[in-house]
Amino acid sequence: MASRGGRPRIGQVAALAGVSATTVSHALNGRRPVSEATRRRVLDAIEELGYRPNVVARGCAPGGA
């Protein structure tokens, strides 16, 4: 399920976990509450896909870095 360049993207993690990309972000950064069951699904999807956050993209995002 890898995308262009072979790296999975947050949308793919979200689709596999059955949640939105925003929920994946919340589960990863801990700034908003996410149920433990949802967090577990997100973490399982991340492991299955081999997802790693793109640190360059994070620095470009509003409020990033």
Side-chain angles (χ1 to χ4, degrees):
M1 198 188 279
S3 65
R4 195 178 39 172
R7 289 186 66 181
R9 298 191 180 193
I10 196 167
Q12 293 169 303
V13 172
L16 185 59
V19 299
S20 70
T22 301
T23 299
V24 172
S25 178
H26 294 328
L28 289 175
N29 69 33
R31 292 186 185 154
R32 300 276 174 119
V34 175
S35 75
E36 190 54 41
T38 299
R39 184 180 315 280
R40 183 77 259 153
R41 286 198 328 265
V42 168
L43 294 176
D44 288 347
I46 285 170
E47 185 173 333
E48 183 175 331
L49 293 172
Y51 173 78
R52 292 175 314 184
N54 185 326
V55 294
V56 174
R58 173 170 267 187
C60 294

